[in-house]
Amino acid sequence: MLRQISACRHSVFLRASTRGFHAASSLLTHTVDALDTNGGPVREYKRMVQDGRLIDDAFQRSIVSKLDRLYQDLLVFTPPPLVEPSPPSYFSKLFGTKDPERVTAPRGLYIYGDVGTGKTTTMDMFYTSIPTTSKRRVHFHSFMLEVHARINHFRRTHHAHEDPVPTIARELARASRVVCFDEFQVTDIADAMVLRRLLHEMFVCGVVMVTTSNRHPDALYANGIQRESFMPCIAELKLKCECVSLDSGTDYRKLVRESARVFFAPITQNTNDALMAVFARASQNAQVQVNGELRFLGRSLRVPRSARGVAWFEFSDLCTQAHGSADYIELARHFHTLVLSNVPVMHMDDRNAARRFITLIDALYEAHVVLVMSSEAEINALFTGEFGGKKEGGCVGEEEVFAFQRAVSRLVEMQSRKWITSGRNDVLAEHAQRMDADTVDQVLATN
Protein backbone atom coordinates (compact mmCIF):
# COMPACT_ATOMS: atom_id res chain seq x y z
CA MET A 1 0.00 0.00 0.00
CA LEU A 2 2.86 2.38 0.85
CA ARG A 3 4.28 1.88 -2.65
CA GLN A 4 1.05 2.92 -4.41
CA ILE A 5 1.70 6.66 -4.42
CA SER A 6 0.36 8.68 -7.34
CA ALA A 7 2.33 10.97 -9.64
CA CYS A 8 0.39 13.93 -8.26
CA ARG A 9 2.14 13.81 -4.90
CA HIS A 10 5.47 13.21 -6.58
CA SER A 11 5.11 16.42 -8.60
CA VAL A 12 4.94 18.34 -5.33
CA PHE A 13 8.23 16.76 -4.25
CA LEU A 14 9.81 17.63 -7.62
CA ARG A 15 8.73 21.28 -7.37
CA ALA A 16 10.26 21.46 -3.89
CA SER A 17 13.51 20.04 -5.26
CA THR A 18 13.61 22.59 -8.08
CA ARG A 19 13.10 25.49 -5.68
CA GLY A 20 16.13 24.34 -3.67
CA PHE A 21 18.53 24.16 -6.65
CA HIS A 22 20.12 27.60 -6.42
CA ALA A 23 20.42 27.49 -2.64
CA ALA A 24 22.25 24.18 -2.85
CA SER A 25 25.03 25.50 -5.07
CA SER A 26 26.23 27.85 -2.32
CA LEU A 27 25.56 26.08 0.92
CA LEU A 28 26.77 28.43 3.66
CA THR A 29 28.13 31.67 2.27
CA HIS A 30 28.05 33.29 5.71
CA THR A 31 31.33 34.01 7.42
CA VAL A 32 32.16 32.89 10.93
CA ASP A 33 30.60 36.19 12.06
CA ALA A 34 27.25 34.47 11.48
CA LEU A 35 27.89 32.57 14.71
CA ASP A 36 27.78 35.84 16.64
CA THR A 37 24.64 36.97 14.78
CA ASN A 38 22.55 33.82 14.77
CA GLY A 39 24.24 31.71 17.41
CA GLY A 40 25.14 28.04 17.16
CA PRO A 41 23.70 25.00 18.95
CA VAL A 42 25.79 25.59 22.09
CA ARG A 43 24.60 29.16 22.42
CA GLU A 44 20.99 28.13 21.84
CA TYR A 45 21.25 25.33 24.40
CA LYS A 46 22.58 27.74 27.04
CA ARG A 47 19.80 30.18 26.24
CA MET A 48 17.11 27.51 26.63
CA VAL A 49 18.56 26.35 29.95
CA GLN A 50 18.69 29.92 31.24
CA ASP A 51 15.09 30.50 30.13
CA GLY A 52 13.97 27.37 31.99
CA ARG A 53 12.88 25.60 28.82
CA LEU A 54 15.46 22.84 29.33
CA ILE A 55 17.11 21.17 32.30
CA ASP A 56 20.89 21.30 32.08
CA ASP A 57 22.06 17.79 31.25
CA ALA A 58 25.72 16.79 30.85
CA PHE A 59 24.88 14.12 28.26
CA GLN A 60 22.88 16.56 26.15
CA ARG A 61 25.66 19.15 26.46
CA SER A 62 28.18 16.70 25.03
CA ILE A 63 25.95 16.06 21.99
CA VAL A 64 25.28 19.78 21.50
CA SER A 65 29.04 20.47 21.52
CA LYS A 66 29.52 17.93 18.71
CA LEU A 67 26.66 19.51 16.76
CA ASP A 68 28.29 22.89 17.29
CA ARG A 69 31.53 21.54 15.83
CA LEU A 70 29.60 20.43 12.74
CA TYR A 71 27.88 23.82 12.62
CA GLN A 72 31.29 25.56 12.58
CA ASP A 73 32.53 23.22 9.81
CA LEU A 74 29.48 23.99 7.69
CA LEU A 75 29.99 27.73 8.05
CA VAL A 76 33.18 27.47 5.98
CA PHE A 77 32.16 24.60 3.69
CA THR A 78 31.18 25.34 0.08
CA PRO A 79 30.30 22.19 -1.85
CA PRO A 80 31.08 22.11 -5.57
CA PRO A 81 28.10 22.28 -7.94
CA LEU A 82 26.37 19.05 -8.86
CA VAL A 83 26.87 18.20 -12.51
CA GLU A 84 24.59 15.92 -14.49
CA PRO A 85 26.54 12.92 -15.85
CA SER A 86 26.96 13.12 -19.63
CA PRO A 87 25.99 10.17 -21.85
CA PRO A 88 28.90 7.80 -22.51
CA SER A 89 30.75 8.54 -25.77
CA TYR A 90 32.30 6.05 -28.17
CA PHE A 91 35.78 6.66 -26.73
CA SER A 92 34.64 6.45 -23.12
CA LYS A 93 33.08 3.09 -23.87
CA LEU A 94 36.27 2.02 -25.60
CA PHE A 95 38.83 3.29 -23.06
CA GLY A 96 36.71 3.59 -19.96
CA THR A 97 35.77 6.65 -17.93
CA LYS A 98 37.35 8.27 -14.92
CA ASP A 99 35.39 7.84 -11.70
CA PRO A 100 33.66 11.05 -10.59
CA GLU A 101 35.60 12.99 -7.96
CA ARG A 102 34.08 12.55 -4.53
CA VAL A 103 33.06 15.56 -2.49
CA THR A 104 34.80 15.78 0.89
CA ALA A 105 31.99 17.01 3.11
CA PRO A 106 32.04 17.51 6.88
CA ARG A 107 31.25 14.35 8.81
CA GLY A 108 27.66 14.21 10.05
CA LEU A 109 26.22 12.89 13.28
CA TYR A 110 24.17 9.78 14.11
CA ILE A 111 22.56 10.32 17.54
CA TYR A 112 21.09 7.21 19.11
CA GLY A 113 19.70 6.37 22.53
CA ASP A 114 16.65 5.64 24.62
CA VAL A 115 13.32 7.37 24.15
CA GLY A 116 12.69 10.81 25.60
CA THR A 117 16.35 11.70 26.30
CA GLY A 118 16.44 14.76 24.03
CA LYS A 119 17.80 13.44 20.73
CA THR A 120 15.24 15.27 18.60
CA THR A 121 15.51 18.45 20.69
CA THR A 122 19.28 18.68 20.23
CA MET A 123 19.07 17.92 16.51
CA ASP A 124 16.41 20.59 16.03
CA MET A 125 18.68 23.15 17.76
CA PHE A 126 21.34 22.36 15.17
CA TYR A 127 18.86 22.50 12.29
CA THR A 128 17.37 25.89 13.19
CA SER A 129 20.80 27.43 13.78
CA ILE A 130 22.18 26.65 10.29
CA PRO A 131 22.04 29.91 8.25
CA THR A 132 21.05 28.38 4.90
CA THR A 133 17.92 27.41 3.00
CA SER A 134 19.64 24.35 1.55
CA LYS A 135 18.61 22.17 4.46
CA ARG A 136 15.79 19.82 5.30
CA ARG A 137 14.38 18.27 8.46
CA VAL A 138 12.05 15.32 7.90
CA HIS A 139 10.69 12.32 9.76
CA PHE A 140 12.20 9.17 8.28
CA HIS A 141 8.79 7.59 7.61
CA SER A 142 7.80 10.54 5.44
CA PHE A 143 11.15 10.55 3.66
CA MET A 144 10.84 6.91 2.62
CA LEU A 145 7.31 7.50 1.33
CA GLU A 146 8.72 10.29 -0.83
CA VAL A 147 11.60 8.15 -2.09
CA HIS A 148 9.31 5.32 -3.18
CA ALA A 149 7.02 7.86 -4.87
CA ARG A 150 10.00 9.24 -6.80
CA ILE A 151 11.08 5.74 -7.84
CA ASN A 152 7.57 4.88 -9.08
CA HIS A 153 7.41 8.12 -11.07
CA PHE A 154 10.87 7.55 -12.57
CA ARG A 155 9.97 4.05 -13.73
CA ARG A 156 6.83 5.34 -15.42
CA THR A 157 8.70 8.07 -17.30
CA HIS A 158 12.05 6.44 -18.18
CA HIS A 159 13.32 3.37 -19.96
CA ALA A 160 13.23 0.14 -17.99
CA HIS A 161 17.04 -0.21 -18.01
CA GLU A 162 17.64 3.23 -16.43
CA ASP A 163 18.59 3.32 -12.76
CA PRO A 164 16.45 5.75 -10.73
CA VAL A 165 18.63 5.89 -7.60
CA PRO A 166 21.52 8.14 -8.78
CA THR A 167 19.08 10.61 -10.35
CA ILE A 168 16.92 10.75 -7.21
CA ALA A 169 20.00 11.19 -5.02
CA ARG A 170 21.11 14.18 -7.13
CA GLU A 171 17.63 15.70 -6.95
CA LEU A 172 17.62 15.38 -3.17
CA ALA A 173 21.15 16.79 -2.93
CA ARG A 174 20.29 19.80 -5.08
CA ALA A 175 17.36 20.64 -2.84
CA SER A 176 19.14 20.06 0.49
CA ARG A 177 22.85 19.72 1.16
CA VAL A 178 22.15 19.22 4.88
CA VAL A 179 19.52 16.62 5.80
CA CYS A 180 18.23 15.95 9.31
CA PHE A 181 16.30 12.71 9.79
CA ASP A 182 14.19 12.09 12.88
CA GLU A 183 13.65 8.48 14.02
CA PHE A 184 15.91 6.69 11.52
CA GLN A 185 14.87 3.05 11.46
CA VAL A 186 14.83 0.24 8.91
CA THR A 187 12.34 -2.60 9.35
CA ASP A 188 11.21 -3.27 5.77
CA ILE A 189 13.18 -5.12 3.08
CA ALA A 190 12.06 -2.71 0.36
CA ASP A 191 13.37 0.24 2.35
CA ALA A 192 16.60 -1.59 3.16
CA MET A 193 17.36 -2.41 -0.48
CA VAL A 194 16.71 1.18 -1.61
CA LEU A 195 18.63 2.80 1.25
CA ARG A 196 21.80 0.81 0.77
CA ARG A 197 22.32 2.56 -2.59
CA LEU A 198 20.47 5.84 -2.06
CA LEU A 199 22.49 6.89 1.00
CA HIS A 200 25.71 5.99 -0.81
CA GLU A 201 24.77 8.19 -3.79
CA MET A 202 23.70 11.06 -1.50
CA PHE A 203 27.04 10.90 0.33
CA VAL A 204 28.85 10.89 -3.04
CA CYS A 205 26.96 14.13 -3.82
CA GLY A 206 28.30 15.66 -0.62
CA VAL A 207 25.13 15.59 1.46
CA VAL A 208 25.76 16.06 5.20
CA MET A 209 23.44 13.96 7.36
CA VAL A 210 22.40 14.34 10.98
CA THR A 211 19.93 11.78 12.29
CA THR A 212 18.34 10.50 15.45
CA SER A 213 17.54 6.87 16.12
CA ASN A 214 16.68 4.56 18.95
CA ARG A 215 19.23 2.06 17.66
CA HIS A 216 22.98 1.99 17.08
CA PRO A 217 23.71 1.57 13.34
CA ASP A 218 24.90 -2.00 14.00
CA ALA A 219 21.39 -2.85 15.26
CA LEU A 220 19.53 -1.44 12.25
CA TYR A 221 17.40 -3.95 10.34
CA ALA A 222 18.30 -6.61 12.89
CA ASN A 223 17.19 -10.11 11.80
CA GLY A 224 15.84 -8.61 8.58
CA ILE A 225 15.54 -10.55 5.33
CA GLN A 226 18.81 -10.44 3.31
CA ARG A 227 20.41 -8.30 6.01
CA GLU A 228 23.88 -9.13 4.69
CA SER A 229 23.04 -6.99 1.64
CA PHE A 230 22.34 -4.06 3.95
CA MET A 231 25.62 -4.30 5.89
CA PRO A 232 27.59 -2.02 3.47
CA CYS A 233 25.01 0.70 4.17
CA ILE A 234 25.63 0.39 7.91
CA ALA A 235 29.39 0.60 7.33
CA GLU A 236 29.02 3.74 5.24
CA LEU A 237 26.70 5.33 7.81
CA LYS A 238 29.39 4.85 10.46
CA LEU A 239 32.03 6.23 8.11
CA LYS A 240 30.10 9.37 7.12
CA CYS A 241 28.52 10.07 10.51
CA GLU A 242 30.01 10.10 13.98
CA CYS A 243 27.89 7.76 16.10
CA VAL A 244 27.14 9.17 19.54
CA SER A 245 24.92 7.85 22.31
CA LEU A 246 22.51 10.05 24.24
CA ASP A 247 21.49 7.87 27.17
CA SER A 248 21.31 10.03 30.25
CA GLY A 249 18.84 7.71 31.96
CA THR A 250 16.27 10.51 32.15
CA ASP A 251 13.11 10.50 30.04
CA TYR A 252 12.34 14.21 29.83
CA ARG A 253 8.96 13.58 28.22
CA LYS A 254 7.86 11.87 31.41
CA LEU A 255 9.59 14.46 33.56
CA VAL A 256 7.59 17.33 32.07
CA ARG A 257 4.32 15.46 32.25
CA GLU A 258 1.58 17.67 33.63
CA SER A 259 -2.05 17.13 34.40
CA ALA A 260 -3.72 18.31 31.19
CA ARG A 261 -6.45 15.69 30.98
CA VAL A 262 -6.89 14.51 27.43
CA PHE A 263 -6.35 10.80 28.12
CA PHE A 264 -9.01 8.77 29.92
CA ALA A 265 -8.83 5.25 31.34
CA PRO A 266 -10.46 2.86 31.91
CA ILE A 267 -13.38 2.98 29.48
CA THR A 268 -16.64 3.76 31.27
CA GLN A 269 -19.77 5.77 30.58
CA ASN A 270 -18.11 8.70 32.34
CA THR A 271 -15.14 8.35 30.02
CA ASN A 272 -17.39 8.46 26.95
CA ASP A 273 -19.17 11.53 28.31
CA ALA A 274 -15.82 13.23 28.89
CA LEU A 275 -14.72 12.52 25.31
CA MET A 276 -17.94 13.99 23.97
CA ALA A 277 -17.41 17.11 26.10
CA VAL A 278 -13.83 17.58 24.86
CA PHE A 279 -14.94 17.02 21.25
CA ALA A 280 -17.62 19.68 21.60
CA ARG A 281 -15.25 22.17 23.21
CA ALA A 282 -12.41 21.53 20.75
CA SER A 283 -14.76 21.98 17.76
CA GLN A 284 -16.50 25.00 19.35
CA ASN A 285 -19.80 23.11 19.17
CA ALA A 286 -19.73 23.28 15.37
CA GLN A 287 -22.09 21.17 13.28
CA VAL A 288 -20.82 17.59 13.07
CA GLN A 289 -20.26 15.94 9.71
CA VAL A 290 -20.98 12.21 9.83
CA ASN A 291 -19.13 9.71 7.61
CA GLY A 292 -17.21 12.31 5.65
CA GLU A 293 -14.38 11.36 3.31
CA LEU A 294 -10.77 12.42 2.91
CA ARG A 295 -9.64 11.93 -0.70
CA PHE A 296 -5.93 11.81 -1.48
CA LEU A 297 -3.47 9.90 -3.67
CA GLY A 298 -6.30 8.20 -5.53
CA ARG A 299 -7.79 6.73 -2.37
CA SER A 300 -10.25 7.76 0.32
CA LEU A 301 -10.47 7.55 4.11
CA ARG A 302 -13.83 7.54 5.89
CA VAL A 303 -14.06 9.96 8.81
CA PRO A 304 -16.87 8.85 11.15
CA ARG A 305 -17.31 12.25 12.84
CA SER A 306 -15.65 15.60 12.24
CA ALA A 307 -16.21 19.28 12.95
CA ARG A 308 -14.00 22.36 12.53
CA GLY A 309 -10.66 20.54 12.31
CA VAL A 310 -11.53 17.90 14.93
CA ALA A 311 -12.03 14.24 13.94
CA TRP A 312 -13.34 11.30 15.97
CA PHE A 313 -12.34 7.71 15.23
CA GLU A 314 -12.70 4.43 17.03
CA PHE A 315 -9.46 2.48 17.47
CA SER A 316 -10.91 -0.20 15.19
CA ASP A 317 -11.47 2.36 12.41
CA LEU A 318 -7.81 3.27 12.16
CA CYS A 319 -5.79 0.36 13.53
CA THR A 320 -7.56 -2.89 12.69
CA GLN A 321 -8.17 -2.03 9.05
CA ALA A 322 -5.60 -1.86 6.24
CA HIS A 323 -4.16 1.62 6.79
CA GLY A 324 -0.56 2.80 6.64
CA SER A 325 1.71 5.81 7.02
CA ALA A 326 0.29 7.67 4.02
CA ASP A 327 -3.22 7.55 5.52
CA TYR A 328 -2.09 8.71 8.95
CA ILE A 329 0.10 11.53 7.60
CA GLU A 330 -2.81 12.84 5.53
CA LEU A 331 -5.08 12.60 8.55
CA ALA A 332 -2.62 14.57 10.67
CA ARG A 333 -2.28 17.17 7.93
CA HIS A 334 -6.04 17.68 7.68
CA PHE A 335 -7.08 17.72 11.37
CA HIS A 336 -5.48 19.61 14.27
CA THR A 337 -7.26 17.47 16.90
CA LEU A 338 -8.02 13.73 16.91
CA VAL A 339 -10.31 11.93 19.32
CA LEU A 340 -9.43 8.22 19.44
CA SER A 341 -11.80 6.12 21.50
CA ASN A 342 -11.77 2.57 22.88
CA VAL A 343 -8.08 1.78 22.56
CA PRO A 344 -7.63 -1.78 23.86
CA VAL A 345 -4.74 -3.40 25.67
CA MET A 346 -2.69 -5.01 22.88
CA HIS A 347 -1.25 -8.51 23.12
CA MET A 348 0.87 -10.73 20.86
CA ASP A 349 -2.17 -11.62 18.79
CA ASP A 350 -2.76 -7.91 18.09
CA ARG A 351 0.64 -7.37 16.48
CA ASN A 352 -0.69 -5.84 13.24
CA ALA A 353 -3.01 -3.45 15.09
CA ALA A 354 -0.18 -2.50 17.46
CA ARG A 355 2.13 -1.77 14.54
CA ARG A 356 -0.50 0.50 12.96
CA PHE A 357 -1.12 2.22 16.29
CA ILE A 358 2.61 2.99 16.61
CA THR A 359 2.69 4.43 13.08
CA LEU A 360 -0.40 6.53 13.80
CA ILE A 361 1.15 8.00 16.95
CA ASP A 362 4.34 8.86 15.02
CA ALA A 363 2.33 10.75 12.38
CA LEU A 364 0.26 12.64 14.97
CA TYR A 365 3.35 13.52 16.99
CA GLU A 366 5.27 14.87 13.99
CA ALA A 367 2.32 17.10 13.01
CA HIS A 368 1.76 18.23 16.64
CA VAL A 369 -1.84 17.03 16.61
CA VAL A 370 -3.74 17.27 19.90
CA LEU A 371 -4.75 13.69 20.74
CA VAL A 372 -7.74 12.96 22.98
CA MET A 373 -7.93 9.27 23.82
CA SER A 374 -9.81 6.70 25.86
CA SER A 375 -8.26 3.34 26.58
CA GLU A 376 -8.77 0.16 28.58
CA ALA A 377 -5.60 0.79 30.61
CA GLU A 378 -3.11 3.52 31.42
CA ILE A 379 -0.52 4.31 28.76
CA ASN A 380 2.28 2.22 30.26
CA ALA A 381 0.03 -0.86 30.35
CA LEU A 382 -1.37 -0.65 26.81
CA PHE A 383 1.05 -3.17 25.34
CA THR A 384 1.76 -6.57 26.88
CA GLY A 385 3.41 -9.80 25.83
CA GLU A 386 6.92 -10.98 25.06
CA PHE A 387 8.20 -11.13 21.52
CA GLY A 388 11.01 -13.05 19.97
CA GLY A 389 12.02 -14.50 16.65
CA LYS A 390 11.43 -13.20 13.18
CA LYS A 391 8.30 -11.83 11.54
CA GLU A 392 8.11 -12.52 7.82
CA GLY A 393 8.45 -9.47 5.57
CA GLY A 394 8.34 -6.88 8.34
CA CYS A 395 9.35 -5.98 11.89
CA VAL A 396 10.59 -8.58 14.23
CA GLY A 397 8.92 -8.70 17.62
CA GLU A 398 11.92 -7.07 19.29
CA GLU A 399 11.66 -4.11 16.91
CA GLU A 400 7.96 -3.72 17.68
CA VAL A 401 8.51 -3.69 21.44
CA PHE A 402 11.21 -1.06 20.99
CA ALA A 403 8.92 1.01 18.77
CA PHE A 404 6.12 0.77 21.28
CA GLN A 405 8.40 2.08 24.01
CA ARG A 406 8.93 5.14 21.83
CA ALA A 407 5.18 5.44 21.28
CA VAL A 408 4.52 5.28 25.04
CA SER A 409 7.04 8.05 25.64
CA ARG A 410 5.39 10.19 22.98
CA LEU A 411 1.91 9.52 24.34
CA VAL A 412 3.07 10.70 27.75
CA GLU A 413 4.34 13.94 26.22
CA MET A 414 1.15 14.37 24.18
CA GLN A 415 -1.00 14.45 27.30
CA SER A 416 1.05 17.24 28.88
CA ARG A 417 -0.26 20.75 29.38
CA LYS A 418 2.73 22.08 27.45
CA TRP A 419 1.79 19.98 24.41
CA ILE A 420 -1.78 21.33 24.43
CA THR A 421 -0.83 24.98 24.93
CA SER A 422 1.61 24.83 22.02
CA GLY A 423 -0.70 22.71 19.88
CA ARG A 424 -2.74 23.50 16.79
CA ASN A 425 -6.10 23.69 18.57
CA ASP A 426 -6.40 27.33 19.64
CA VAL A 427 -9.47 26.73 21.81
CA LEU A 428 -7.90 24.00 23.94
CA ALA A 429 -4.60 25.90 24.05
CA GLU A 430 -6.30 29.07 25.30
CA HIS A 431 -8.20 27.24 28.03
CA ALA A 432 -5.10 25.29 29.11
CA GLN A 433 -3.05 28.48 29.34
CA ARG A 434 -5.65 30.09 31.61
CA MET A 435 -5.73 27.27 34.10
CA ASP A 436 -3.29 26.02 36.68
CA ALA A 437 -1.98 22.53 35.96
CA ASP A 438 -4.31 20.94 38.54
CA THR A 439 -7.47 22.36 36.98
CA VAL A 440 -6.80 21.83 33.29
CA ASP A 441 -8.49 18.44 33.28
CA GLN A 442 -11.67 19.93 34.71
CA VAL A 443 -11.72 22.66 32.05
CA LEU A 444 -11.21 20.31 29.13
CA ALA A 445 -13.86 17.86 30.31
CA THR A 446 -16.43 20.58 31.07
CA ASN A 447 -18.64 21.76 28.22
Side-chain angles (χ1 to χ4, degrees):
M1 177 173 62
L2 295 183
R3 308 294 178 256
Q4 297 173 347
I5 311 293
S6 71
C8 174
R9 186 174 187 182
H10 177 75
S11 66
V12 176
F13 296 137
L14 289 183
R15 287 198 297 273
S17 298
T18 305
R19 285 197 300 270
F21 174 77
H22 296 293
S25 61
S26 55
L27 178 57
L28 297 178
T29 56
H30 298 69
T31 64
V32 179
D33 291 338
L35 178 61
D36 294 328
T37 303
N38 300 321
V42 165
R43 180 169 295 185
E44 180 60 20
Y45 182 79
K46 289 179 179 178
R47 185 183 300 121
M48 293 180 75
V49 169
Q50 290 169 356
D51 292 346
R53 288 180 286 166
L54 288 179
I55 297 173
D56 192 14
D57 182 292
F59 290 88
Q60 289 183 359
R61 264 189 278 116
S62 68
I63 301 300
V64 171
S65 66
K66 292 179 182 295
L67 289 168
D68 202 82
R69 181 268 307 164
L70 177 57
Y71 167 84
Q72 299 286 350
D73 290 344
L74 289 172
L75 286 175
V76 294
F77 171 62
T78 302
L82 290 169
V83 180
E84 290 291 334
S86 55
S89 64
Y90 170 78
F91 290 103
S92 67
K93 291 178 180 177
L94 188 63
F95 299 107
T97 57
K98 191 167 84 171
D99 290 336
E101 187 175 343
R102 289 208 172 196
V103 178
T104 304
R107 194 180 184 201
L109 215 64
Y110 183 106
I111 308 168
Y112 69 96
D114 209 350
V115 295
T117 53
K119 300 184 299 295
T120 299
T121 299
T122 53
M123 182 184 74
D124 286 347
M125 279 182 216
F126 165 78
Y127 177 80
T128 55
S129 68
I130 306 172
T132 181
T133 57
S134 183
K135 61 181 179 179
R136 185 181 183 194
R137 192 267 194 206
V138 60
H139 190 273
F140 198 68
H141 259 314
S142 299
F143 176 74
M144 290 311 301
L145 283 173
E146 172 188 342
V147 167
H148 287 294
R150 287 177 179 268
I151 291 173
N152 290 339
H153 179 80
F154 186 96
R155 286 173 175 164
R156 288 195 299 270
T157 56
H158 292 72
H159 295 296
H161 68 276
E162 293 186 68
D163 184 3
V165 173
T167 299
I168 292 169
R170 285 193 297 274
E171 290 174 355
L172 293 168
R174 284 196 188 100
S176 311
R177 286 297 180 91
V178 179
V179 178
C180 294
F181 292 126
D182 192 28
E183 301 290 354
F184 191 105
Q185 58 177 331
V186 186
T187 56
D188 179 86
I189 185 172
D191 288 351
M193 295 304 102
V194 169
L195 277 172
R196 65 178 182 175
R197 297 188 54 238
L198 179 66
L199 289 183
H200 170 76
E201 294 292 342
M202 289 175 68
F203 287 137
V204 166
C205 291
V207 171
V208 177
M209 189 181 91
V210 175
T211 186
T212 70
S213 179
N214 291 327
R215 293 292 178 107
H216 187 281
D218 289 338
L220 289 172
Y221 197 46
N223 302 318
I225 299 171
Q226 298 180 23
R227 187 174 189 262
E228 64 280 0
S229 300
F230 186 68
M231 295 303 291
C233 181
I234 293 175
E236 189 157 25
L237 265 176
K238 294 193 291 186
L239 178 67
K240 296 297 184 180
C241 298
E242 181 182 358
C243 299
V244 291
S245 171
L246 180 48
D247 267 335
S248 65
T250 303
D251 186 337
Y252 286 99
R253 292 178 189 156
K254 292 181 179 179
L255 191 63
V256 300
R257 177 178 177 178
E258 297 170 37
S259 61
R261 187 79 182 278
V262 288
F263 286 14
F264 302 88
I267 298 169
T268 63
Q269 184 57 49
N270 289 339
T271 295
N272 294 332
D273 292 343
L275 285 187
M276 292 177 65
V278 177
F279 180 87
R281 179 175 293 282
S283 63
Q284 303 177 60
N285 291 301
Q287 183 174 353
V288 177
Q289 181 182 10
V290 178
N291 291 329
E293 274 192 334
L294 272 184
R295 295 187 177 276
F296 60 100
L297 304 176
R299 49 190 289 118
S300 64
L301 177 65
R302 186 182 70 87
V303 183
R305 278 182 280 179
S306 63
R308 203 182 285 248
V310 184
W312 188 324
F313 288 87
E314 294 279 324
F315 175 89
S316 58
D317 295 326
L318 290 179
C319 300
T320 63
Q321 299 180 28
H323 295 301
S325 293
D327 301 310
Y328 302 143
I329 290 171
E330 186 65 25
L331 191 66
R333 183 182 294 119
H334 196 81
F335 296 103
H336 55 64
T337 306
L338 180 73
V339 178
L340 186 65
S341 56
N342 298 320
V343 176
V345 173
M346 284 160 269
H347 307 281
M348 286 181 61
D349 294 341
D350 307 311
R351 176 173 292 186
N352 290 331
R355 198 183 297 129
R356 293 188 189 105
F357 181 67
I358 291 165
T359 305
L360 170 65
I361 297 306
D362 283 344
L364 299 180
Y365 183 89
E366 283 299 309
H368 209 118
V369 172
V370 175
L371 175 63
V372 184
M373 191 176 90
S374 69
S375 58
E376 286 184 350
E378 296 295 333
I379 293 171
N380 289 327
L382 279 178
F383 196 64
T384 63
E386 297 179 359
F387 291 87
K390 185 184 295 185
K391 175 71 176 175
E392 286 187 23
C395 299
V396 297
E398 181 187 354
E399 292 285 348
E400 291 162 357
V401 171
F402 203 89
F404 205 87
Q405 290 173 350
R406 183 186 72 246
V408 166
S409 179
R410 289 187 160 183
L411 284 169
V412 168
E413 181 180 358
M414 292 168 78
Q415 69 174 317
S416 72
R417 182 168 177 258
K418 180 180 177 182
W419 182 270
I420 297 168
T421 55
S422 61
R424 293 162 52 195
N425 189 306
D426 294 338
V427 176
L428 295 185
E430 181 183 350
H431 280 279
Q433 283 171 343
R434 266 197 242 139
M435 295 294 123
D436 293 330
D438 352 9
T439 58
V440 171
D441 54 335
Q442 299 170 11
V443 173
L444 294 180
T446 304
N447 191 10

